[in-house]
Amino acid sequence: MSETKGIMIVGVGGQGTLLASRILGHVLMRRGYDVKMSEVHGMSQRGGSVVTYVKFGEKVYSPLVDLGEADYILAFERLEAARWLSYLKEGGTLILNDRRINPMPVITGAMEYPSDIVEKISAKGARIISGDALSLAIEAGSAKAVNVVMIGILSVLSDFPENEWQEAIAACVKPKFLELNKKAFSLGREFALKILKS
Amino acid sequence: MKTLLLGNEAVARGLYEAGCRFVSAYPGTPSTEITEAAAKYDELYAEWAPNEKVAAEAAIGASIGGARSFCAMKHVGLNVAADPLFTVSYTGVNGGLVLAVADDQGMHSSQNEQDSRHYAIAAKLPMLEPSDSAECLEFSKLAFDISEEYDTPVMLRTCTRVAHSQSIVELGSRVERELKPYAKAPSKYVMMPGNAKIRHPIVEERMQKLVRFAETSPINRIEMGDTSVGYVTAGICYQYLRECFPSASILKLGMVNPLPIELIRSFSEKVDKLIVVEELDPVIETQIRACGIKVDGGKDIFGYCGELSQNKILKALGMDTPSFADFGEPLPPRPPTLCPGCPHRGLFYTLGKMGVMVSGDIGCYTLGSLPPLSAMDTTVCMGASVSGLHGFNTVRGSESAKKSVAVIGDSTFIHSGITGLIDIVYNKGISTVIILDNSITGMTGHQDNPTTGKTLKGEPAPVVSLEKLCEAVGVRRVRVCDPYALGELRAAVEEELNAAEPSVIIARRPCILLPSAKISPALFVDPEKCKGCRQCMTIGCPAVSFSDKKASIDSTLCVGCELCTQMCKFDAILKKEVE
């Protein structure tokens, strides 16, 4: 296997996973890495389970992260974290927005939403950084900024300087939402720094 | 300058740099963003056509008119465009002509996973297949050069993982190309039998010349390494393979039709075993075998269905894959759903309650087939709802026509529903067709169409009136309904089903995701009044959920459409008090 790192961003269609991957791609390219990202458009965006793959390294071939290959998974929802857990590398880190969004089979009563997802994932030996990104996004000014809060949390696990992340956000979001997203990023970052200290 | 581009954006960049002037397409995942990105270049004329056949024909006309021209479609769109495809192979081109087709291995957003390489073989056309965004840019430029040098349309095949993956590309500048002169040449462009008989041998000679090109072109390249196994591959599979085996010997084909058989033969002689890695059908493998080259592994180990990946390749070859921890419990799937406030929901709820047979079509509204709405009987292809219903009711009689409808979106109706409606009228059918007019092409991500009043470039455009169009083909009973008004909608459907002549109901309300859609404050459930009857759950709205014997509404999702309010017999669903 060639030496590349894999990040997966998983969630529910409409949660803004694409913007998160684009900010990430921007930072990585500026850092001089080769980068590939695979996205999902079309049918899967309508409230379905969505996944975006980000790969980087000196030279990247496949744009896909396969089972057991993800160094990091950013999960925007608990059930999606469980669904994609098998893609996490041994020793990989799961960053979780600890929120429940019922899928249609749960809404209709055909199936139950699994209980104690976070505990069960921890029991599998995965490292989890879990937080309420939605509340932080609302604090920043919009529930839609969950994606940038999550990027803020991830940023703490990298050694890239903060200003490079801020520049990437500026390059990827519309100017009128820039301040909001910068705040969302900072709140995510502060949250992660607090967690990692404790 | 280096930048990250989607494969589709990189194809559009290639068009720009190649001096292409004309782009026409019908949206279709995963091809849509090529045309959207092309429209952002002022130097390119770009348009949405009513369907892929029209787009291809318009591009053919532009090529004959002397411009470098292009059209894009998804794999099933190529079926629609197949008629002009086979004959433009005979006429050849004036300005370079490139047709891009995006396959959807794994069916992320499609109704089948056909392998479009068969078309290149059948229509006797060269086909290039890029494996990342840099090649998307490079190959689309090269395709125009091949087109003009060999007097042939060139096909460019991508797939979801190339079209919708971003990777780094180096941008170049545009080479402006003057219109080539147009000279009347009926023996080349009028394909009647006498002329076509003369053109066919020219096509066969052209294929021979293209074989010689394929044998020597650097886009088909051998990367020699460990000689115990040699892999022959193309497109995205190259990337998976190279990731698995950094030091393997690989023959990477950039051109998948025609194949460089002698190059493949000489490669096979340098390695101990030859393995062909391709998704879907054994297009490369079968041709190699037919030439007497021994293949030691192909479809027998990789199979015919779905996508490959690095792990799937390793597994098929009997090698170890990374270990992983599974969650270990069956999980509820999360299928896509109609959005909260989607105007289609009320219609499918009504049709489900009425128990009618629903002849369905391709679009967001195909999601009306999923529980709890479960209100769709068939979905085949664009337009088949209308023509399919005609056949169904013709064999089952007029009683069947009283208990069945076709549902089709505004864009799909213009694409190919109108011809089915003409079939009903002309052949004295009495079927009922419901056009779900949400004022946009929805599923592919909001593209304008001839009914929306705007062009791809955002300019105002004449509006094709659905009402007048249906009347003009001879439907006397055409009416417009609001799909949010359930009582009115049901009465209209019942009345039209009982009419002894064809009828069209236009269920009209803009897609809830459009800026023009009316978003109202979120509703809430009064727990005192809620009796827990679950009636509000039957509409399958993601914003409504049920726990502790009471319904509740997620205020971050609800757009206040009041469909659930109409379900509640206890007036428990309320609007927020105005403060």
Side-chain angles (χ1 to χ4, degrees), chain A residues 1 12 22 25 35-39 41 43 46 48-49 55 61-64 66-67 69 77 79-80 82-83 86 90 99 101 103-105 107-108 112 120 124, chain B residues 4 6 33 109 161 164-168 239-240 242-243 309-311 314 322-327 329 331-334 336-337 364 371-372 442-443 537 540 544 554:
Chain A
M1 290 282 170
V12 179
R22 288 182 178 192
V35 182
K36 283 189 178 172
M37 304 192 284
S38 184
E39 309 174 346
H41 301 227
M43 180 71 100
R46 299 283 174 267
S49 171
K55 296 268 289 271
Y61 292 101
S62 169
L64 299 185
D66 216 325
L67 291 162
E69 284 188 358
E77 199 269 353
L79 173 59
E80 296 312 310
R83 190 184 317 285
S86 48
E90 275 181 25
R99 191 185 175 214
I101 301 175
M104 199 47 70
I107 291 176
T108 61
E112 293 207 353
K120 286 173 187 167
K124 301 277 174 191
Chain B
L4 272 171
L6 273 180
E33 299 80 7
S109 206
R161 297 302 184 187
H164 285 167
S165 288
Q166 300 205 32
S167 57
I168 297 172
Q239 305 291 355
Y240 301 150
R242 197 34 104 200
E243 177 145 330
S309 70
Q310 47 270 30
N311 281 7
L314 290 171
S323 58
F324 57 86
D326 196 69
F327 187 70
E329 278 179 35
L331 296 172
R334 191 186 299 275
T337 54
C364 285
M443 182 56 88
M537 303 296 295
V544 186
D554 184 334

Coordinates of all heavy atoms in Angstrom, one line a residue, chain A residues 1 12 22 25 35-39 41 43 46 48-49 55 61-64 66-67 69 77 79-80 82-83 86 90 99 101 103-105 107-108 112 120 124, chain B residues 4 6 33 109 161 164-168 239-240 242-243 309-311 314 322-327 329 331-334 336-337 364 371-372 442-443 537 540 544 554:
Chain A
M1 N 0.8 -1.2 0.0 CA 0.0 0.0 0.0 C 0.9 1.3 0.0 O 1.9 1.3 0.7 CB -0.9 0.0 1.3 CG -2.0 -1.0 1.2 SD -3.3 -0.5 0.2 CE -4.3 -2.0 0.1
V12 N -25.9 12.8 6.9 CA -27.2 12.7 6.3 C -27.3 13.8 5.2 O -26.8 14.9 5.4 CB -28.3 13.0 7.3 CG1 -29.7 12.9 6.6 CG2 -28.2 12.0 8.4
R22 N -14.5 20.1 1.0 CA -13.8 21.1 0.1 C -12.8 22.0 0.9 O -11.7 22.3 0.4 CB -14.8 21.9 -0.6 CG -15.5 21.1 -1.7 CD -16.5 21.7 -2.6 NE -16.9 20.7 -3.5 CZ -17.6 20.9 -4.6 NH1 -18.0 22.1 -4.9 NH2 -18.0 19.9 -5.4
G25 N -9.9 19.8 1.5 CA -9.1 19.6 0.3 C -8.2 20.8 0.0 O -7.0 20.7 -0.4
V35 N -3.9 15.4 -3.5 CA -5.2 15.2 -2.8 C -6.2 14.6 -3.8 O -6.2 15.0 -5.0 CB -5.8 16.6 -2.4 CG1 -7.1 16.4 -1.7 CG2 -4.8 17.3 -1.5
K36 N -7.0 13.7 -3.4 CA -8.2 13.3 -4.2 C -9.4 13.2 -3.2 O -9.2 12.8 -2.1 CB -7.9 11.9 -4.8 CG -7.0 12.0 -6.0 CD -6.9 10.8 -6.8 CE -6.1 11.0 -8.1 NZ -5.8 9.8 -8.8
M37 N -10.5 13.5 -3.7 CA -11.7 13.5 -2.9 C -12.9 12.9 -3.8 O -13.0 13.3 -4.9 CB -12.1 14.9 -2.5 CG -11.0 15.6 -1.7 SD -11.6 17.1 -1.0 CE -11.7 18.2 -2.3
S38 N -13.6 12.0 -3.2 CA -14.7 11.5 -3.9 C -16.0 11.9 -3.2 O -16.2 11.8 -2.0 CB -14.6 9.9 -4.0 OG -15.7 9.4 -4.8
E39 N -17.0 12.4 -4.0 CA -18.2 13.0 -3.5 C -19.4 12.2 -4.0 O -19.3 11.4 -4.9 CB -18.3 14.4 -3.9 CG -17.1 15.3 -3.6 CD -17.2 16.7 -4.2 OE1 -18.1 17.0 -5.0 OE2 -16.3 17.5 -3.8
H41 N -23.3 12.9 -5.4 CA -24.3 13.9 -5.9 C -25.6 13.1 -6.3 O -25.5 11.9 -6.3 CB -23.8 14.6 -7.1 CG -22.5 15.4 -6.9 ND1 -22.4 16.7 -7.3 CD2 -21.4 15.1 -6.3 CE1 -21.2 17.1 -7.0 NE2 -20.5 16.1 -6.4
M43 N -29.2 11.3 -6.4 CA -30.2 10.7 -5.6 C -29.8 10.6 -4.1 O -30.7 10.9 -3.2 CB -30.3 9.2 -6.1 CG -31.3 8.3 -5.4 SD -33.0 8.8 -5.7 CE -33.5 7.6 -6.9
R46 N -30.8 13.4 -1.1 CA -32.1 13.7 -0.6 C -32.3 13.0 0.7 O -33.1 12.1 0.9 CB -33.2 13.2 -1.6 CG -33.1 13.9 -2.9 CD -33.7 15.3 -2.9 NE -33.5 16.1 -4.1 CZ -32.4 16.8 -4.3 NH1 -31.5 17.0 -3.4 NH2 -32.3 17.5 -5.5
G48 N -30.6 11.0 2.4 CA -30.0 9.7 2.5 C -28.7 9.7 3.2 O -28.1 10.8 3.5
S49 N -28.1 8.5 3.5 CA -26.8 8.4 4.1 C -25.8 8.9 3.0 O -25.8 8.4 1.9 CB -26.6 6.9 4.4 OG -25.2 6.7 4.8
K55 N -8.5 11.8 0.4 CA -7.2 11.1 0.5 C -6.1 12.1 0.3 O -6.2 12.9 -0.6 CB -7.1 10.0 -0.6 CG -8.2 8.9 -0.4 CD -7.7 7.7 0.4 CE -6.6 6.9 -0.3 NZ -7.3 5.9 -1.1
Y61 N -3.4 7.7 -5.5 CA -4.1 7.0 -6.6 C -5.6 6.9 -6.4 O -6.3 7.7 -7.0 CB -3.4 5.6 -6.9 CG -2.0 5.7 -7.3 CD1 -0.9 5.5 -6.4 CD2 -1.7 6.1 -8.6 CE1 0.4 5.7 -6.8 CE2 -0.3 6.2 -9.0 CZ 0.7 6.0 -8.1 OH 2.0 6.1 -8.6
S62 N -6.0 6.0 -5.7 CA -7.5 5.8 -5.5 C -8.1 6.9 -4.8 O -7.6 7.3 -3.7 CB -7.8 4.5 -4.8 OG -9.1 4.4 -4.5
P63 N -9.3 7.5 -5.2 CA -10.0 8.5 -4.5 C -10.8 7.9 -3.3 O -11.4 8.7 -2.6 CB -10.9 9.2 -5.5 CG -11.1 8.1 -6.5 CD -9.9 7.2 -6.6
L64 N -10.9 6.6 -3.3 CA -11.7 5.9 -2.3 C -10.9 5.5 -1.0 O -9.8 5.1 -1.1 CB -12.4 4.7 -2.8 CG -13.3 4.8 -4.0 CD1 -13.9 3.5 -4.4 CD2 -14.4 5.9 -3.8
D66 N -11.2 2.7 1.7 CA -11.8 1.4 1.8 C -12.0 0.9 3.2 O -11.5 1.6 4.1 CB -11.1 0.4 0.9 CG -12.0 -0.6 0.2 OD1 -13.0 -1.0 0.8 OD2 -11.6 -1.0 -0.9
L67 N -12.6 -0.2 3.4 CA -12.8 -0.8 4.8 C -11.5 -0.8 5.5 O -10.5 -1.3 5.0 CB -13.4 -2.2 4.7 CG -14.8 -2.3 4.2 CD1 -15.1 -3.7 3.7 CD2 -15.8 -1.9 5.3
E69 N -9.5 1.6 6.3 CA -8.4 2.5 5.8 C -8.5 3.9 6.3 O -7.6 4.7 6.0 CB -8.5 2.5 4.3 CG -7.9 1.3 3.6 CD -7.8 1.4 2.1 OE1 -8.2 2.5 1.5 OE2 -7.3 0.5 1.5
E77 N -23.6 12.5 12.4 CA -24.8 11.9 13.0 C -24.4 10.5 13.6 O -23.5 9.8 13.0 CB -25.9 11.8 12.0 CG -27.3 11.6 12.5 CD -27.7 10.2 12.8 OE1 -27.0 9.3 12.3 OE2 -28.8 10.0 13.3
L79 N -26.0 7.5 14.1 CA -26.2 6.2 13.3 C -25.3 6.1 12.2 O -24.8 5.0 11.8 CB -27.7 6.2 12.8 CG -28.1 5.1 11.9 CD1 -27.9 3.7 12.5 CD2 -29.6 5.3 11.5
E80 N -25.0 7.2 11.5 CA -24.0 7.2 10.4 C -22.6 6.8 10.9 O -21.9 6.2 10.2 CB -24.0 8.5 9.6 CG -25.4 8.8 9.0 CD -26.0 7.6 8.2 OE1 -25.2 7.1 7.4 OE2 -27.1 7.3 8.4
A82 N -22.0 4.7 13.3 CA -22.1 3.3 13.4 C -22.0 2.6 12.1 O -21.3 1.6 11.9 CB -23.4 2.9 14.1
R83 N -22.7 3.2 11.1 CA -22.8 2.6 9.8 C -21.4 2.5 9.1 O -21.1 1.5 8.4 CB -23.7 3.4 8.9 CG -24.1 2.7 7.6 CD -24.9 3.6 6.6 NE -26.0 4.3 7.3 CZ -27.2 3.8 7.7 NH1 -27.4 2.5 7.5 NH2 -28.1 4.5 8.3
S86 N -16.8 0.5 10.2 CA -15.9 -0.5 9.7 C -14.9 0.1 8.7 O -13.9 -0.6 8.3 CB -16.7 -1.6 8.9 OG -17.7 -1.0 8.1
E90 N -7.5 0.6 12.3 CA -7.2 0.3 13.7 C -6.3 1.5 14.2 O -5.3 1.8 13.6 CB -6.4 -1.0 13.8 CG -7.3 -2.2 13.8 CD -6.5 -3.5 13.9 OE1 -5.3 -3.5 14.4 OE2 -7.0 -4.5 13.5
R99 N -25.5 13.6 17.6 CA -26.9 14.0 17.3 C -27.6 12.9 16.7 O -27.0 12.1 15.9 CB -26.9 15.2 16.4 CG -28.3 15.8 16.3 CD -28.4 16.9 15.3 NE -29.8 17.3 15.3 CZ -30.5 17.7 14.2 NH1 -29.9 17.8 13.1 NH2 -31.8 18.0 14.3
I101 N -30.6 11.7 14.1 CA -31.6 12.1 13.1 C -32.2 10.8 12.6 O -31.6 9.9 12.1 CB -31.0 12.8 11.9 CG1 -30.3 14.1 12.3 CG2 -32.0 13.1 10.8 CD1 -29.5 14.8 11.2
P103 N -33.9 7.9 10.6 CA -34.1 7.6 9.2 C -35.5 7.1 9.0 O -36.2 6.8 10.0 CB -33.1 6.5 8.9 CG -32.9 5.8 10.3 CD -33.2 6.9 11.3
M104 N -36.0 7.1 7.8 CA -37.4 6.8 7.5 C -37.9 5.4 8.1 O -38.9 5.4 8.7 CB -37.7 6.8 6.0 CG -39.1 7.0 5.6 SD -40.1 8.2 6.5 CE -39.4 9.7 5.9
P105 N -37.1 4.4 8.1 CA -37.5 3.1 8.7 C -37.8 3.3 10.2 O -38.6 2.5 10.7 CB -36.4 2.1 8.4 CG -35.7 2.7 7.2 CD -35.8 4.1 7.3
I107 N -38.7 6.3 11.5 CA -39.9 7.2 11.6 C -41.2 6.4 11.4 O -42.2 6.6 12.1 CB -39.8 8.3 10.5 CG1 -38.7 9.3 10.9 CG2 -41.1 9.0 10.3 CD1 -38.4 10.3 9.9
T108 N -41.1 5.4 10.5 CA -42.4 4.6 10.2 C -42.6 3.5 11.2 O -43.6 2.9 11.2 CB -42.3 4.0 8.8 OG1 -41.2 3.1 8.8 CG2 -42.1 5.0 7.7
E112 N -35.9 0.0 14.9 CA -35.6 0.9 16.0 C -34.2 1.5 15.8 O -33.3 0.9 15.2 CB -35.6 0.1 17.3 CG -36.9 -0.4 17.6 CD -37.1 -0.6 19.1 OE1 -36.1 -0.5 19.9 OE2 -38.3 -0.9 19.5
K120 N -21.0 1.7 22.5 CA -20.7 0.5 21.7 C -19.5 0.7 20.8 O -18.6 -0.2 20.6 CB -21.9 0.0 20.9 CG -23.0 -0.6 21.7 CD -24.2 -0.9 20.9 CE -25.4 -1.3 21.8 NZ -26.7 -1.3 21.1
K124 N -15.4 -1.0 21.0 CA -14.7 -1.7 19.8 C -13.3 -1.2 19.8 O -12.5 -1.6 18.9 CB -15.4 -1.3 18.5 CG -16.8 -1.8 18.4 CD -16.9 -3.2 18.0 CE -18.4 -3.6 18.0 NZ -18.5 -5.1 17.9
Chain B
L4 N -7.8 22.2 -7.5 CA -8.6 21.0 -7.4 C -9.8 21.1 -8.2 O -10.6 22.1 -8.0 CB -9.0 20.8 -5.9 CG -8.0 20.1 -5.0 CD1 -8.5 20.2 -3.5 CD2 -7.9 18.6 -5.3
L6 N -13.3 18.9 -9.8 CA -14.1 17.6 -10.1 C -13.7 17.1 -11.5 O -13.5 17.9 -12.4 CB -15.6 18.0 -10.1 CG -16.4 18.0 -8.8 CD1 -17.8 18.3 -9.2 CD2 -16.4 16.7 -8.1
E33 N -22.5 18.2 -14.0 CA -21.6 19.3 -13.7 C -20.7 19.7 -14.9 O -20.1 20.8 -14.9 CB -20.8 19.1 -12.5 CG -21.6 18.9 -11.2 CD -22.2 17.5 -11.1 OE1 -21.8 16.6 -11.9 OE2 -23.0 17.3 -10.1
S109 N -27.1 6.6 -8.6 CA -28.2 7.5 -9.0 C -28.8 7.1 -10.3 O -29.0 8.0 -11.1 CB -27.7 9.0 -9.0 OG -28.8 9.8 -8.7
R161 N -17.0 7.7 -10.1 CA -15.8 7.9 -9.3 C -14.7 8.8 -9.9 O -13.8 9.3 -9.3 CB -15.1 6.6 -8.9 CG -16.0 5.7 -8.0 CD -16.4 6.4 -6.8 NE -17.2 5.5 -5.9 CZ -17.8 5.8 -4.8 NH1 -17.8 7.1 -4.4 NH2 -18.4 4.9 -4.1
H164 N -17.2 12.5 -10.2 CA -17.5 13.2 -8.9 C -16.3 13.1 -7.9 O -16.5 13.2 -6.7 CB -18.8 12.6 -8.3 CG -20.0 13.1 -9.0 ND1 -21.2 12.5 -8.9 CD2 -20.1 14.1 -9.9 CE1 -22.1 13.2 -9.6 NE2 -21.5 14.1 -10.3
S165 N -15.1 12.9 -8.5 CA -13.9 13.0 -7.6 C -13.2 14.2 -8.0 O -13.1 14.6 -9.1 CB -13.0 11.8 -7.7 OG -13.6 10.6 -7.1
Q166 N -12.6 14.9 -6.9 CA -11.8 16.0 -7.2 C -10.3 15.6 -7.1 O -9.9 14.8 -6.3 CB -12.0 17.1 -6.1 CG -13.4 17.6 -6.0 CD -13.5 19.0 -5.5 OE1 -12.6 19.8 -5.6 NE2 -14.6 19.3 -4.8
S167 N -9.5 16.1 -8.0 CA -8.1 15.9 -7.9 C -7.4 17.1 -8.6 O -8.0 17.9 -9.2 CB -7.6 14.5 -8.5 OG -8.0 14.4 -9.9
I168 N -6.1 17.1 -8.4 CA -5.3 18.3 -8.8 C -5.1 18.4 -10.3 O -4.7 17.4 -10.9 CB -4.0 18.4 -8.0 CG1 -4.3 18.5 -6.5 CG2 -3.2 19.6 -8.5 CD1 -3.1 18.5 -5.6
Q239 N -6.4 3.4 -11.0 CA -6.0 4.1 -9.7 C -6.1 3.1 -8.6 O -5.3 3.1 -7.7 CB -7.0 5.3 -9.5 CG -7.0 6.3 -10.6 CD -5.7 7.1 -10.8 OE1 -4.8 6.9 -10.0 NE2 -5.6 7.9 -11.8
Y240 N -7.2 2.2 -8.6 CA -7.3 1.2 -7.5 C -6.1 0.3 -7.6 O -5.6 -0.1 -6.5 CB -8.6 0.4 -7.7 CG -9.9 1.2 -7.7 CD1 -11.0 0.8 -8.4 CD2 -10.0 2.4 -6.9 CE1 -12.2 1.5 -8.4 CE2 -11.2 3.1 -6.9 CZ -12.3 2.7 -7.6 OH -13.5 3.4 -7.6
R242 N -3.1 0.6 -8.9 CA -1.8 1.2 -8.6 C -1.7 1.4 -7.1 O -0.6 1.3 -6.5 CB -1.7 2.5 -9.4 CG -0.3 3.1 -9.5 CD 0.8 2.1 -9.6 NE 1.4 2.0 -11.0 CZ 2.1 0.9 -11.3 NH1 2.3 -0.1 -10.5 NH2 2.6 0.8 -12.5
E243 N -2.8 1.7 -6.4 CA -2.7 1.9 -5.0 C -2.5 0.5 -4.3 O -1.7 0.4 -3.4 CB -4.1 2.4 -4.5 CG -4.1 2.6 -2.9 CD -4.8 3.7 -2.4 OE1 -4.8 4.8 -3.1 OE2 -5.3 3.6 -1.3
S309 N -12.9 -1.6 -5.9 CA -12.2 -0.7 -5.0 C -10.9 -1.4 -4.8 O -10.7 -2.6 -5.2 CB -13.0 -0.5 -3.7 OG -13.0 -1.7 -3.0
Q310 N -10.0 -0.8 -4.0 CA -8.7 -1.4 -3.8 C -8.9 -2.8 -3.0 O -8.3 -3.8 -3.3 CB -7.7 -0.5 -3.1 CG -8.2 0.3 -1.9 CD -8.8 1.6 -2.3 OE1 -9.3 1.8 -3.4 NE2 -8.8 2.6 -1.4
N311 N -9.8 -2.8 -2.0 CA -10.0 -4.0 -1.2 C -10.7 -5.1 -2.0 O -10.4 -6.3 -1.9 CB -10.9 -3.7 0.0 CG -10.0 -3.1 1.1 OD1 -8.9 -2.8 1.0 ND2 -10.7 -2.9 2.3
L314 N -8.0 -6.7 -4.1 CA -7.1 -7.6 -3.3 C -7.9 -8.9 -2.9 O -7.3 -9.9 -3.0 CB -6.7 -6.8 -2.0 CG -5.8 -5.7 -2.2 CD1 -5.6 -4.9 -0.9 CD2 -4.4 -6.1 -2.7
P322 N -7.0 -4.8 4.9 CA -6.9 -4.3 6.2 C -8.0 -4.8 7.1 O -9.1 -5.0 6.7 CB -7.1 -2.8 6.1 CG -6.8 -2.5 4.6 CD -7.2 -3.7 3.9
S323 N -7.7 -5.1 8.4 CA -8.7 -5.5 9.3 C -9.5 -4.3 9.8 O -9.1 -3.2 9.7 CB -8.0 -6.2 10.5 OG -7.2 -5.3 11.2
F324 N -10.7 -4.6 10.3 CA -11.6 -3.5 10.7 C -12.5 -4.0 11.8 O -12.8 -5.2 11.8 CB -12.3 -2.8 9.6 CG -13.1 -3.8 8.8 CD1 -14.5 -4.0 9.1 CD2 -12.6 -4.4 7.6 CE1 -15.2 -4.9 8.4 CE2 -13.4 -5.3 6.9 CZ -14.7 -5.6 7.3
A325 N -13.1 -3.1 12.5 CA -14.1 -3.4 13.5 C -15.5 -3.0 13.0 O -15.7 -1.9 12.6 CB -13.8 -2.6 14.8
D326 N -16.4 -4.0 13.0 CA -17.7 -3.7 12.5 C -18.6 -3.3 13.7 O -18.3 -3.7 14.8 CB -18.3 -5.0 11.9 CG -19.5 -4.8 11.1 OD1 -19.4 -4.1 10.0 OD2 -20.6 -5.2 11.5
F327 N -19.6 -2.5 13.5 CA -20.5 -2.1 14.6 C -21.2 -3.4 15.2 O -21.5 -3.4 16.4 CB -21.5 -1.1 14.2 CG -22.3 -0.5 15.3 CD1 -21.8 0.3 16.2 CD2 -23.7 -0.9 15.4 CE1 -22.5 0.9 17.3 CE2 -24.4 -0.3 16.5 CZ -23.8 0.5 17.4
E329 N -24.2 -4.8 14.7 CA -25.6 -4.9 14.9 C -26.2 -4.5 13.5 O -25.7 -3.7 12.9 CB -26.1 -3.9 15.9 CG -26.0 -4.3 17.3 CD -26.5 -3.2 18.2 OE1 -27.5 -2.5 17.9 OE2 -26.0 -3.1 19.3
L331 N -28.3 -2.3 11.3 CA -28.6 -0.9 11.4 C -29.8 -0.5 10.5 O -29.9 -1.1 9.4 CB -27.4 -0.1 11.1 CG -26.2 -0.2 12.0 CD1 -25.0 0.5 11.4 CD2 -26.5 0.2 13.4
P332 N -30.6 0.4 10.9 CA -31.7 0.8 10.0 C -31.0 1.5 8.8 O -30.1 2.3 9.0 CB -32.5 1.8 10.8 CG -31.9 1.8 12.2 CD -30.6 1.1 12.2
P333 N -31.4 1.2 7.6 CA -30.9 1.9 6.5 C -31.4 3.3 6.4 O -32.4 3.6 7.1 CB -31.4 1.1 5.3 CG -32.6 0.4 5.8 CD -32.4 0.2 7.2
R334 N -30.7 4.2 5.7 CA -31.2 5.5 5.6 C -31.3 5.9 4.1 O -30.5 6.4 3.5 CB -30.2 6.5 6.2 CG -30.8 7.9 6.4 CD -29.7 8.9 6.9 NE -29.2 8.6 8.2 CZ -29.8 9.0 9.4 NH1 -30.9 9.7 9.4 NH2 -29.2 8.6 10.5
P336 N -32.7 7.7 0.7 CA -33.1 9.1 0.5 C -34.6 9.2 0.6 O -35.4 8.2 0.4 CB -32.7 9.4 -1.0 CG -32.3 8.0 -1.6 CD -32.1 7.1 -0.5
T337 N -35.1 10.4 0.9 CA -36.5 10.6 1.1 C -37.0 11.9 0.4 O -36.1 12.8 0.1 CB -36.9 10.8 2.6 OG1 -36.1 11.8 3.1 CG2 -36.7 9.5 3.4
C364 N -37.0 13.0 -8.7 CA -37.1 12.9 -7.2 C -38.3 12.1 -6.8 O -38.3 11.4 -5.8 CB -37.3 14.3 -6.6 SG -35.8 15.3 -6.5
P371 N -41.6 3.3 1.3 CA -42.5 3.4 2.4 C -42.3 4.7 3.2 O -41.2 5.2 3.2 CB -42.1 2.2 3.3 CG -41.2 1.3 2.5 CD -40.6 2.2 1.4
P372 N -43.3 5.3 3.8 CA -44.6 4.7 4.0 C -45.5 5.1 2.8 O -46.7 4.6 2.8 CB -45.1 5.4 5.2 CG -44.5 6.7 5.2 CD -43.1 6.5 4.6
G442 N -35.3 18.5 -10.7 CA -34.9 18.5 -9.3 C -33.8 17.6 -8.9 O -32.8 18.0 -8.3
M443 N -33.9 16.3 -9.2 CA -33.0 15.3 -8.7 C -31.6 15.5 -9.1 O -30.6 15.3 -8.3 CB -33.5 13.9 -9.2 CG -32.6 12.8 -8.6 SD -32.6 12.7 -6.9 CE -34.0 11.7 -6.5
M537 N -48.1 10.4 10.7 CA -46.9 9.6 10.3 C -47.0 9.0 8.9 O -46.1 8.6 8.3 CB -46.6 8.5 11.3 CG -46.4 9.0 12.7 SD -45.0 10.0 13.0 CE -43.7 8.8 12.6
G540 N -45.0 10.2 5.7 CA -43.6 10.0 5.6 C -42.8 11.3 5.5 O -41.9 11.4 4.7
V544 N -41.5 14.8 11.0 CA -42.5 14.4 12.0 C -42.0 13.0 12.6 O -41.7 12.1 11.8 CB -43.9 14.1 11.3 CG1 -44.9 13.8 12.4 CG2 -44.3 15.4 10.5
D554 N -39.8 18.3 14.3 CA -38.5 18.8 14.4 C -38.5 20.2 13.7 O -38.7 20.4 12.5 CB -37.5 17.9 13.6 CG -36.1 18.3 13.7 OD1 -35.8 19.6 13.9 OD2 -35.2 17.5 13.6

